[in-house]
Amino acid sequence: MAVETDWLKVFAAIARLGSFTAAARELGYTQSAVSRQVAALESDLKTPLFERLPRGVRLTEAGRRLAARAEVVLDQLGAARRELAGLRDGEVGHVRIGCFPTAGARLVPEAIAAFRAAHPRVTVTHVDALTSELVRRVADGALDVAVVGGYRDRIAGLTEVRLHHLWDEPILVAVPPGHRLADRRSVRVAELAGESWIAGSDTPGETLISAFLRHGPAPRVEYIVREWTAKLGFVAAGLGVTLVPALAAGGLRGDVPLLSLHPDDAPLREVHAATSPHSAPAPAVRGFLRALARTVSRWDSIGPSEG
């Protein structure tokens, strides 16, 4: 069988109204067009569906059985069309989002809140992970979009995904209260020589400190502390200094001085949204990319903590 949707629509209207003429009027067809479509449907099904009466028509048993299903089929097709139209317009769907941890301090939640307000029928789910894991998930199709970050040489190596630049994030230095540099607004890398450092990993290349490796000897890392609240606790206790990304600065404790790095020394961490390179982002994903871009456009040159 190759039953046409229009045949079912005409059949359902006749079954409901009991008349070819009334169905033609409702559908905006000529009566001959309605008769041809019914004849085609009966020919395809190899059975009569209506008894032709002097005034109107009456369903045969086959017609009654088809009528019981035709409205359901048409309703399902209508729902499918509406759902697909919603997907095309970005008004329904599911966006799977990932981000590296400090992007979850403000950037990503602000973007999600704005996106959900504009697209309340789109489901949003979120995970956080390191950039390398996020890139793998986007490339494998497990995530639709991920906010990733890294210094320029690392970002250049992320060839498995398509990158959409969002922001160049300054990196700040956190020093203990009363530190010799605590009253300064900015600092040179050379002035930090000999400091004890607190890092999130014992492999400097996996931390923000990796940017300092190009300026001289590797910093002396004395404590490995992975969580930001604890890391700033170590700094506040006078146990060392650490680097703080501007994305995280707004949500940290206020008793730890934060210094800007001198413009000649300051490493900028590039922040990008990553999507699959194999196809264009779906409409809802494009909507979330716009929400990310609008969020960072409201920040000043330092970041959300200053805005």
Side-chain angles (χ1 to χ4, degrees), residues 34 79 92 111 261 302:
V34 167
V92 299
L261 287 168
I302 297 298

Side-chain angles (χ1 to χ4, degrees), residues 164-285:
H164 311 259
H165 181 262
L166 295 172
W167 192 47
D168 291 329
E169 178 191 23
I171 304 300
L172 310 175
V173 181
V175 301
H179 188 274
R180 60 187 173 85
L181 300 172
D183 293 332
R184 297 269 296 276
R185 297 191 62 176
S186 66
V187 65
R188 300 298 302 259
V189 168
E191 296 178 275
L192 298 169
E195 293 286 344
S196 298
W197 284 84
I198 299 158
S201 168
D202 56 5
T203 304
E206 297 178 357
T207 70
L208 296 175
I209 292 175
S210 63
F212 278 52
L213 300 180
R214 68 196 69 174
H215 291 284
R220 187 177 74 252
V221 177
E222 290 204 10
Y223 298 98
I224 305 300
V225 182
R226 302 189 185 280
E227 201 275 323
W228 276 107
T229 303
K231 190 179 294 185
L232 269 293
F234 273 65
V235 174
L239 298 174
V241 302
T242 194
L243 296 181
V244 177
L247 281 174
L252 301 177
R253 54 193 295 166
D255 61 338
V256 174
L258 295 177
L259 288 60
S260 298
L261 287 168
H262 188 278
D264 292 341
D265 298 341
L268 292 177
R269 182 166 64 170
E270 296 184 14
V271 180
H272 296 258
T275 59
S276 170
H278 305 300
S279 60
V285 176

Side-chain angles (χ1 to χ4, degrees), residues 41-238:
L41 179 59
E42 290 179 324
S43 174
D44 187 76
L45 296 176
K46 299 180 174 56
T47 187
L49 300 172
F50 296 102
E51 296 176 14
R52 276 66 171 178
L53 305 174
R55 295 178 62 85
V57 294
R58 182 168 57 205
L59 289 167
T60 64
E61 182 178 355
R64 289 194 297 273
R65 289 176 180 268
L66 180 60
R69 299 185 181 275
E71 292 287 358
V72 175
V73 170
L74 291 170
D75 285 345
Q76 289 294 318
L77 286 172
R81 288 193 184 96
R82 290 190 295 273
E83 186 171 334
L84 293 177
L87 286 171
R88 271 196 319 274
D89 297 338
E91 296 305 319
V92 299
H94 180 195
V95 179
R96 301 164 299 169
I97 298 165
C99 72
F100 64 93
T102 50
R106 185 167 177 184
L107 168 58
V108 170
E110 283 191 5
I112 290 175
F115 176 78
R116 289 184 59 182
H119 305 275
R121 296 169 60 206
V122 177
T123 301
V124 176
T125 54
H126 165 265
V127 298
D128 60 23
L130 297 178
T131 286
S132 56
E133 173 66 12
L134 295 170
V135 167
R136 185 189 66 77
R137 293 192 191 188
V138 171
D140 290 348
L143 289 175
D144 299 306
V145 58
V147 177
V148 300
Y151 297 117
R152 182 160 300 171
D153 52 353
R154 184 182 186 193
I155 290 295
L158 302 181
T159 56
E160 311 98 308
V161 292
R162 179 182 290 117
L163 295 175
H164 311 259
H165 181 262
L166 295 172
W167 192 47
D168 291 329
E169 178 191 23
I171 304 300
L172 310 175
V173 181
V175 301
H179 188 274
R180 60 187 173 85
L181 300 172
D183 293 332
R184 297 269 296 276
R185 297 191 62 176
S186 66
V187 65
R188 300 298 302 259
V189 168
E191 296 178 275
L192 298 169
E195 293 286 344
S196 298
W197 284 84
I198 299 158
S201 168
D202 56 5
T203 304
E206 297 178 357
T207 70
L208 296 175
I209 292 175
S210 63
F212 278 52
L213 300 180
R214 68 196 69 174
H215 291 284
R220 187 177 74 252
V221 177
E222 290 204 10
Y223 298 98
I224 305 300
V225 182
R226 302 189 185 280
E227 201 275 323
W228 276 107
T229 303
K231 190 179 294 185
L232 269 293
F234 273 65
V235 174

Side-chain angles (χ1 to χ4, degrees), residues 9-27 29-31 34-35 38 50-59:
K9 189 184 301 182
V10 168
F11 166 78
I14 299 169
R16 178 165 41 83
L17 298 171
S19 164
F20 279 40
T21 302
R25 187 182 306 115
E26 180 178 277
L27 297 172
Y29 294 165
T30 64
Q31 186 165 339
V34 167
S35 297
V38 170
F50 296 102
E51 296 176 14
R52 276 66 171 178
L53 305 174
R55 295 178 62 85
V57 294
R58 182 168 57 205
L59 289 167

